[in-house]
Every structure is written in C-alpha cells, then in structure tokens.
Amino acid sequence: MGYHYSCNGLLLLVSVLMVVASSAVGSFYQDFDLTWGDKRAKIFNGGQLLSLSLDRVSGSGFQSKRDYLFGRIDMQLKLVAGDSAGTVTAYYLSSQGPTHDEIDFEFLGNVSGQPYILHTNIFAQGKGNREQQFYLWFDPTRNFHTYSVIWKPQHVIFLVDNIPIRVFKNAESLGVPFPENQPMKIYSSLWNADDWATRGGLVKTDWTKAPFTAYYRNFRAIPCNNCGSKRSSSSSVSDAQRQWQPRDELDATSRRRLRWVQKYFMIYNYCTDLKRFPQGFPSECRQH
C-alpha cells in the first residue's frame, strides 16, 4: 500500500515538473507556423530548435500563431556563420495594414571576419524611419545569444543578452505615435538583400557559400498583465510566467549598461543625423 502511494506521488511530482518545464520555454511546433521557403525552414529536436536557410532560389521565414500586446519577448539566435554578406536575418513584431506597428531587429551580414550590424527600428501607425544601428560585442555566429523586447505603454526596450541597447519612450505628449493599440505577431525571415545590406549594396552575396543558415531556440513570451492594454494577448502562458512583470524604469546597473553600449557600439542614430534632418530632429529625440 505504501509502495503504491509512493509511486503515485512520484508520478504526480514528475508530471507537475514536466508541465512547468514545458511552459517555461515554448515549443516551435506549438507557437509558430513555417510560412514560406518550402523546406528551407525546419523545426527539429522535438520542437526545441528551428532553422531558416537561404539559397539562390529562395529564403525562408516563420511567424507566431498568436498575437501579442505588451510584455516581454525573448528568442535565442545563432546567426549565419562565415561569409554572410548580402544576407539579412530579420526578427520582429508587426501588425498588418498601412497603419501597422512594428518593432524590428535586423541582422545585416558581412564578409568573413567583419562584424554584423544590428539594425533596429520602430514603426507606429505606419511611420518608421527611427533607425539605430549597433555592432555587437561578441561573435553572434559562434553561440546562441538572447535578443529581447520589453514592450510597455511607457516604452519599448531592446535587449541583447539582457543588456539594454535601446529605449524608445512613449512621446505621444509631443504628438509622436507609439505602438500601443495593435496586437502584433512575431516574425522572422532570412533573405537576400545584397542591393543594400552590406556596405550599402557594394558587397554582393557569394552564392558559392550557400546555403546560409540561422538557428533559433528558447522562445519565450510573457504578457504584461497590468499594462492596461485595450486588448489582451491571445497567448497562453503558465501561472508562473504571469508572475513576471517588467519594471517601469531601468535600474542603475541597466542604465550604465545602456550608456556603455550606446557609447562604444552604436554606429548610427537617426536622432543625431544632421544631414537627414537639417531642419531639426524628430520630436521624440528630445527624450533620448
């Protein structure tokens, strides 16, 4: 009798642990659809790993099954190794339509030994042109690194390995649109953009190095339940995940890290581009 009770208790404990483990990191089978590229997009390792490939015929891409409105999105990526010039790996949130909202990470490939450029942008009500670009302080092709977005009504924060690299504050009080009403899906694609991606299009894709492949793992989406969204996310998460709430402001350590990245690794900021804005910088630049 005692043995029977112990076995049942052990089985129950194992079942609970399996549920908690599976809810902490999503399955690509459960969370995403492979949307284009034929068999160049693949899910394997029991749904825990996804790859996108690009060859001369086509690139590939995927999108989330669900929409999200406010919260934190994490994804680990390992980018195309070797000579990746001309290729772009895009990872972003977006709604649809001419007045869409969008939060972008784009990784612009380069020739072997030269650094990737991380291109960021934000669209609100169809208007973008808010680019900031960075070099990374590591080789993003050797190992997986985590790229995150914290999206709240007050701000959007871009993070790399939990280090903030960019903060876009809500400046609606200055008449600047902010993404806050449109739920967005998560998208990623690997595609050829050798007309502009590397040195403004001077360096073309070397197709003898194809196929080019990027890898994804450890996707996690956690809604912000106290953000006052007009429409809640349709994502399904565990009670444990619901305990996470993004902070309203960056703490002192995070602010120091943000300044470090922007001082040493930012290579373009639209808010300081005098040639582009000779009549004055956009209104939101006063807050950045």
Side-chain angles (χ1 to χ4, degrees):
M1 185 72 173
Y3 174 77
H4 178 73
Y5 177 81
S6 298
C7 283
N8 285 343
L10 180 60
L11 288 172
L12 177 60
L13 177 60
V14 170
S15 298
V16 169
L17 290 174
M18 289 177 65
V19 169
V20 171
S22 64
S23 65
V25 177
S27 160
F28 284 110
Y29 287 122
Q30 175 183 332
D31 295 322
F32 291 93
D33 291 320
L34 306 180
T35 49
W36 64 283
D38 196 20
K39 295 182 180 179
R40 295 172 183 83
K42 300 176 182 178
I43 298 174
F44 46 104
N45 279 18
Q48 297 306 304
L49 195 64
L50 185 151
S51 66
L52 295 181
S53 290
L54 162 70
D55 58 30
R56 189 184 290 271
V57 176
S58 178
S60 51
F62 64 87
Q63 72 179 49
S64 64
K65 296 178 185 291
R66 304 175 177 89
D67 297 314
Y68 301 90
L69 183 60
F70 301 133
R72 177 171 179 141
I73 305 293
D74 296 326
M75 184 83 82
Q76 291 191 334
L77 281 76
K78 184 162 69 170
L79 299 178
V80 174
D83 187 347
S84 58
T87 71
V88 173
T89 306
Y91 156 55
Y92 59 103
L93 293 92
S94 183
S95 58
Q96 299 297 312
T99 59
H100 78 290
D101 295 340
E102 189 171 322
I103 301 171
D104 289 344
F105 282 102
E106 289 187 324
F107 302 91
L108 313 185
N110 213 331
V111 295
S112 297
Q114 296 300 310
Y116 265 81
I117 291 175
L118 171 52
H119 176 99
T120 67
N121 201 356
I122 290 182
F123 288 74
Q125 298 178 23
K127 182 183 183 300
N129 301 320
R130 300 183 177 98
E131 302 92 346
Q132 289 184 0
Q133 294 183 338
F134 306 84
Y135 286 140
L136 295 167
W137 49 95
F138 53 83
D139 181 350
T141 72
R142 290 180 61 87
N143 297 295
F144 283 92
H145 292 269
T146 304
Y147 303 91
S148 307
V149 170
I150 293 175
W151 175 26
K152 297 188 67 180
Q154 297 91 340
H155 53 222
V156 174
I157 304 175
F158 295 77
L159 305 99
V160 177
D161 288 338
N162 215 36
I163 295 175
I165 64 169
R166 177 179 184 177
V167 178
F168 183 81
K169 296 179 181 178
N170 186 329
E172 287 181 307
S173 61
L174 302 175
V176 179
F178 185 83
E180 62 180 350
N181 296 320
Q182 301 183 52
M184 297 194 268
K185 281 183 164 50
I186 301 163
Y187 298 86
S188 190
S189 58
L190 175 55
W191 50 290
N192 178 46
D194 65 3
D195 57 333
W196 65 271
T198 306
R199 295 184 58 201
L202 294 177
V203 182
K204 302 300 183 182
T205 303
D206 182 354
W207 294 111
T208 66
K209 303 295 195 301
F212 305 96
T213 303
Y215 297 91
Y216 302 74
R217 72 180 188 188
N218 291 352
F219 164 71
R220 185 177 65 162
I222 310 173
C224 177
N225 292 328
N226 63 352
C227 284
S229 59
K230 297 176 183 177
R231 291 179 59 186
S232 62
S233 166
S234 62
S235 62
S236 175
V237 296
S238 70
D239 290 339
Q241 287 176 291
R242 292 184 186 278
Q243 299 304 311
W244 180 87
Q245 298 295 346
R247 293 180 296 244
D248 285 339
E249 299 295 338
L250 296 170
D251 61 20
T253 300
S254 295
R255 289 195 296 271
R256 284 195 300 271
R257 289 174 172 174
L258 175 65
R259 289 193 296 268
W260 172 74
V261 170
Q262 295 192 338
K263 179 178 181 179
Y264 294 107
F265 298 98
M266 179 185 284
I267 59 173
Y268 177 78
N269 182 3
Y270 77 108
C271 281
T272 60
D273 191 339
L274 286 168
K275 291 183 179 180
R276 185 173 171 186
F277 301 106
Q279 304 304 316
F281 297 122
S283 300
E284 68 269 20
C285 293
R286 303 173 201 167
Q287 299 191 26
H288 294 273

